[in-house]
Amino acid sequence: MMLGNGVVGILSESTNKWERRAPLTPSHCARLLHEGRANTYAGVSRIIVQPSPKRIHHDALYEDVGCEISEDLSECGLILGIKQPKLDMILPDRAYSFFSHTHKAQKENMPLLDKILAERASLFDYELIVGDHGKRLLAFGKFAGRAGMIDFLHGLGKRYLSLGYSTPFLSLGASYMYTSLVAAKAAVIAVGEEIATLGLPPGICPLLFVFTGSGNVSQGAQEIFRLLPHAFVDAGRLSELSGLGEHAQHVRSSKRVFHVYGCVVTCKDMVEPKDPTSKFDKTDYYTHPEHYNPIFHERIAPFASVIVNCMYWEKRFPRLLSTKQLQELMTKGSRLVGISDITCDIGGSLEFVNQSTSIEKPFFRYDPLTSSYHYDMEGSGVICLAVDILPTEFAKEASQHFGDILSQFIGSLASMKDTSELPSHLRRACIVHKGHLTSLYEYIPRMRNSISNCLPENSTNDHFSKKHKILVSLSGHLFDQFLINEALDIIETAGGSFHLVRCEVGQSSLDMSYSEVEVSADESTVLDQIIDSLTSISNPSENSKIFNKETNKLSLMIGKVSEAEKGDELRSRPVVLILGAGRVCQPAVAFLASNENASCHKVLKTTFGSVTEELKDVQVLVASLYLKDAEEAIDGIPNASAVQLDVMDSRSLHKYISEADVVISLLPPSCHIVIAEACIKLKKNLVTASYVTDSLSKLSEEAKSAGITILGEMGLDPGIDHMMAMKMINQARVRGGRIQSFWSYCGGLPSPMAANNPLAYKFSWNPAGALRAGSNHATYKSLGEIVEIDGDKLYDSATRFRITDLPAFALECIPNRNSLVYGDLYGIGQEASTIFRGTLRYEGKILRNNGESQKNGAT
């Protein structure tokens, strides 16, 4: 039994090339080994470190303090990391500790949880280690704030230069360019000294930084900001600072200013009660955000030069700044230059921040007036930073800070045989112990099973068959105080079922969580009983208080949102987004939008699960560059709608993909990379009929990490031919046969009577694309010899094969692209002496390169 053997392993980080942090530094390891040798009955006896040439501390430094360097961690009972490891790194009967992002039943990380359960391992999550004060003990928030602020100042200098202003910020580097946090701060101080001495150009003054939120992230960002000569201004005096009227504007723009301004805003500065007689109440706002109107765009944003976004946000709250609000601001001459979204909340409180950025390319530019995205500093709009791995830019200091705290727990975790031996804060952080979910986290599979598109194959959910349903709003500290378990117990004990509709989880123990749960029961009296029981645990007499200071117990808020009439279909219809409105679009829309034929019903049931029995329809959305084409494709088809979309417009593309369950691309192959990258980011499955290119294949690992499928070559040819080929090959092998030769023919052949165009070809797709495809270089294998044909010689008679002499079906075949790749794909490359894929045409109807048909002179 490896668990508790005192041997600790440190993983090499594999999720991101920039991840250089370590859970323990060499100095931490030295102390742990020293203490372990002093106490032979508990603690750490050995530390094995997986080699990593990119880790901030070199392997030799670990070796110098007594650690062992080895890829093999099989002797370790406790294995530590920062980010979640790859699945094949999970060994049986070990304890693991890292940021797993599983305790909220996050769909994308459920394979990791399943792997840990299957290997009878234990899992401790850093995010769940909470002190007596209710705050997380292990976090990198301040380092994210520090790095995000420095990186933005670095970009701000470039942006102002593109606008015609030279500023001291131009000399500042990105955070990772400095050897230490101290060195980076010294560079900021040098920038500040230049501002204090020479001032800033009048045209950009007053330079106002608005910080949202007051937590660790905001504190880290403000720490860097305070190194500059600065003055903080109350939110209520921003208009006074900016100056109003012609004279104030003239004064403001005619003098150099020798400092920058800061303003910290919280939710009271962002919203106001809809009822003009009411005052802002934070407790009421968190419980009933629908009672409040956003005001940030009117009272704060017009005066900001830079917005540093550090606040936690949930979908139920008003946005900090919507796309429309930003567009209106810019048309009025807003002074906003850029946004540092340190939270990296994609599509969140800042709607137009719809993509994350990387450390090497930290900025994109959004032009609100054209609603377009760009990746340079030139042109109009605002620059946006949205890097999701900022703390690793200060890998040395972040690792030291993290290890200072983590090392206090390692002795207990390394010698632990059972969780009962651990202090309470570590017991509560244990999600899985020896292959079983601990009692505090038994809600995870219940939440998974309540989400229809996450149902495991062997699970059932009878929620949708029950007659009476009600949507219940649960808000409070559901997960850190595990009130979610109590609520779900009440529902199931009474004989009810539930379906998780929404779940927004606080980022720290001080933040509330919010869930909408659709509760169902066969009898209305049972539903009433459930609601009464839920209300009783929510302390209704204390509904005005989120936190009860006397008992230190957090209460649960319940709000009935809406109730279903008998027979209502509460489940949203699945949405299929079809990109492109060409010739094959209309049949696809007709097939998907109508669930009346048996074959379609079977496909939908396979795709969307058993709950499809309750689905009458699938909603199909057709998007095309030309709206008229999309409207023609859906004409007369129910449950289908049309929209105009340019797939090169990133914001619009992300918007429509985010609303879909499945994306089908009928666009040219050159568009698929952009679409595939968007689907990976938004975790949406993608199907195309095009050949899988090398560039698309390279996205395979990213798609797997996102938990999605990108299914290419799903048309007629390629597509159906793959399925037929593998069926025949497998059937032959089952009977003991060997594949000696493989011939595959396909083509767009209309009925002979309907073959009335010069090429006698059925154009079910873009004619230009069909003609271009007919001039590709071709390669195939014939009797063991490789035959290669240049595209310009593809139509010579020597390259064509006569298929039949029947008068009405006089067919010939030309080789199609590279047939050799299918040898490996089908597993026949070694045994088949001939491998040939060809395209059929009516004899004499093949177009020559000079634009003339061989017999008909057609063009």
Side-chain angles (χ1 to χ4, degrees), residues 6-10 24 44 46-49 76-80 410 414:
V7 183
V8 177
I10 297 179
L24 297 172
V44 178
R46 296 166 60 196
I47 297 177
I48 303 175
V49 180
C76 303
L78 172 66
I79 299 176
L80 309 173
I410 296 302

Side-chain angles (χ1 to χ4, degrees), residues 571-586:
R571 184 177 184 271
S572 298
R573 294 181 294 181
V575 177
V576 176
L577 172 64
I578 298 180
L579 300 175
R583 295 170 182 265
V584 298
C585 180
Q586 191 171 46

Side-chain angles (χ1 to χ4, degrees), residues 601 609 754 756:
H601 183 82
N756 53 10

Side-chain angles (χ1 to χ4, degrees), residues 123-139:
L123 172 62
F124 294 84
D125 196 309
Y126 300 138
E127 192 174 356
L128 303 172
I129 301 178
V130 178
D132 295 336
H133 46 57
K135 295 182 179 180
R136 282 174 50 188
L137 297 178
L138 289 162

Side-chain angles (χ1 to χ4, degrees), residues 404-479:
D404 285 345
I405 302 168
L406 178 62
S407 59
Q408 301 173 35
F409 313 139
I410 296 302
S412 298
L413 292 173
S415 58
M416 180 259 322
K417 299 289 185 182
D418 191 85
T419 54
S420 60
E421 306 168 11
L422 296 173
S424 59
H425 60 279
L426 294 181
R427 285 201 307 271
R428 291 166 65 87
C430 183
I431 298 177
V432 178
H433 183 53
K434 296 180 180 179
H436 298 282
L437 288 166
T438 58
S439 59
L440 294 177
Y441 300 94
E442 289 176 347
Y443 63 83
I444 293 177
R446 299 154 81 181
M447 288 176 63
R448 292 178 71 183
N449 290 346
S450 78
I451 304 172
S452 59
N453 63 350
C454 295
L455 281 173
E457 291 183 3
N458 60 349
S459 70
T460 59
N461 185 356
D462 63 347
H463 166 77
F464 295 101
S465 64
K466 295 187 182 296
K467 298 178 180 178
H468 301 274
K469 298 181 179 73
I470 189 171
L471 195 60
V472 176
S473 166
L474 306 173
S475 61
H477 291 253
L478 303 178
F479 295 91

Side-chain angles (χ1 to χ4, degrees), residues 242-285:
S242 292
L244 299 173
E246 293 182 7
H247 176 68
Q249 178 69 29
H250 174 73
V251 171
R252 187 179 74 233
S253 62
S254 61
K255 293 183 179 179
R256 295 183 74 84
V257 178
F258 298 87
H259 58 267
V260 294
Y261 294 90
C263 177
V264 180
V265 298
T266 57
C267 52
K268 66 180 177 61
D269 306 302
M270 303 172 191
V271 296
E272 67 178 5
K274 291 181 178 179
D275 182 356
T277 63
S278 299
K279 292 184 178 180
F280 175 83
D281 181 88
K282 184 176 180 180
T283 297
D284 182 61
Y285 173 57

Side-chain angles (χ1 to χ4, degrees), residues 361-386:
K361 295 180 179 179
F363 289 93
F364 65 85
R365 176 171 54 87
Y366 174 66
D367 187 345
L369 301 182
T370 60
S371 193
S372 57
Y373 290 81
H374 309 272
Y375 302 93
D376 58 17
M377 289 288 181
E378 306 296 327
S380 59
V382 294
I383 59 169
C384 301
L385 177 145

Side-chain angles (χ1 to χ4, degrees), residues 141-142 212-222 310-311:
K142 282 192 177 180
T212 65
S214 56
N216 282 337
V217 176
S218 183
Q219 290 174 27
Q222 291 178 51
C310 311
M311 73 173 194

